[in-house]
């Protein structure tokens, strides 16, 4: 468990650091391109001069939510091509959410005058790849960092539990007690074995007088025919 905890701890730490670092870099790059679009955009509230490069494109954005689409025209050194944009591109410009509705293409470099029948924001085309890169960077930082953090927490817990178990000694195994001889416990005589100093069966005790002939006989009950009966 301790080894698994170490592996999860270091893996989670590496994943979290890499995911957050890469996610931040991608978010900065992606949203940095969006910031460039905001900085290069401008409002058209009447006839406005614009210096265009040859074969450049200017996207028109409107904050209007109505059904009518603003009408814009541009005059200059060469006829300006009016076009449409694929998909709705939206971003925030000075606190207003604006959405693309058309474009102007300038075939020749020079100064052009742009005029619209309502307030319009003109600027570069939104970098879809940059927006996706920025959003992907945010998701990578959030979810990748969260996954790494989760693995880090689990690893630290397992590491601590494993280290605690390693420090706690295991319970002592059962061991049999001392084996006593069949004759009995220490100091106990085996059955039929005399104690120290005890004579063997049939051997007189110490100080016992020997048997003398003519001594008193054992008691015998008398009978009627006994000549010795009084």
């Amino acid at each position: 468990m301790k080894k698994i905890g170490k592996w999860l701890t270091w893996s989670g730490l590496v994943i979290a650091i890499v995911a957050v670092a890469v996610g931040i870099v991608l978010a900065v790059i992606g949203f940095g391109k969006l910031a460039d679009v905001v900085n290069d955009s401008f409002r058209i509230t009447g006839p406005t001069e614009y210096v265009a490069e040859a074969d450049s494109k200017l996207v028109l954005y409107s904050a209007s939510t109505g059904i009518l689409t603003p009408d814009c025209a541009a005059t200059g050194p060469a006829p300006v091509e009016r076009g449409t944009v694929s998909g709705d591109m939206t971003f925030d410009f000075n606190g207003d959410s604006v959405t693309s509705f058309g474009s102007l293409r300038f075939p020749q470099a020079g100064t052009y005058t742009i005029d619209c029948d309502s307030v319009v924001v003109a600027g570069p085309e939104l970098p879809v790849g940059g927006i996706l890169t920025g959003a992907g960077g945010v998701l990578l930082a959030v979810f990748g960092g969260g996954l790494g953090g989760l693995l880090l927490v689990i690893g630290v817990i397992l590491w601590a539990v494993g280290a605690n178990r390693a420090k706690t000694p295991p319970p002592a195994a059962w061991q049999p007690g001392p084996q006593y001889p069949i004759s009995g416990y220490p100091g106990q005589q085996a059955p039929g074995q005399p104690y120290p100093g005890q004579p063997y069966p049939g051997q007189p005790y110490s100080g016992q007088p020997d048997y003398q002939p003519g001594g008193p006989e054992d008691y015998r009950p008398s009978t009627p025919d006994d000549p010795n009966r009084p």
Side-chain angles (χ1 to χ4, degrees):
M1 182 178 293
K2 182 178 179 181
K3 183 181 294 185
I4 297 177
K6 287 183 178 180
W7 185 84
L8 288 178
T9 299
W10 293 114
S11 299
L13 182 61
V14 171
I15 292 175
I17 293 176
V18 172
V20 172
V22 175
I24 291 176
V25 172
L26 293 178
V28 170
I29 293 175
F31 293 125
K33 295 180 179 179
L34 180 60
D36 293 338
V37 172
V38 176
N39 295 332
D40 294 338
S41 299
F42 56 94
R43 288 186 185 274
I44 300 176
T45 57
T48 304
E49 291 186 350
Y50 172 71
V51 179
E53 297 179 355
D55 198 24
S56 61
K57 180 180 179 180
L58 190 65
V59 178
L60 305 176
Y61 302 89
S62 173
S64 176
T65 57
I67 300 177
L68 297 177
T69 301
D71 185 22
C72 297
T75 58
V80 178
E81 301 175 3
R82 301 174 60 178
T84 59
V85 291
S86 58
D88 294 336
M89 296 179 290
T90 303
F91 70 98
D92 291 334
F93 181 79
N94 294 338
D96 296 331
S97 178
V98 294
T99 304
S100 60
F101 66 90
S103 64
L104 298 175
R105 181 174 296 278
F106 306 93
Q108 184 178 338
T111 301
Y112 294 82
T113 301
I114 305 174
D115 192 12
C116 300
D117 58 0
S118 62
V119 178
V120 171
V121 175
E125 187 175 7
L126 282 178
V128 178
I131 296 175
L132 295 178
T133 300
V138 173
L139 294 177
L140 177 62
V142 172
F143 291 100
L147 175 61
L150 179 61
L151 293 178
L152 177 62
V153 172
I154 296 175
V156 170
I157 294 175
L158 294 179
W159 192 346
V161 173
N164 188 28
R165 287 186 177 180
K167 292 180 180 179
T168 304
W174 178 84
Q175 296 181 356
Q179 300 294 327
Y180 295 105
I182 301 177
S183 58
Y185 294 99
Q188 180 181 1
Q189 299 297 327
Q193 180 179 357
Y195 292 96
Q198 180 181 3
Y200 290 95
Q203 180 181 355
Y205 291 97
S206 300
Q208 180 181 3
D210 298 335
Y211 172 75
Q212 299 296 331
E217 297 181 356
D218 296 337
Y219 169 78
R220 295 183 301 171
S222 61
T223 60
D225 296 336
D226 188 351
N228 296 326
R229 178 178 180 185

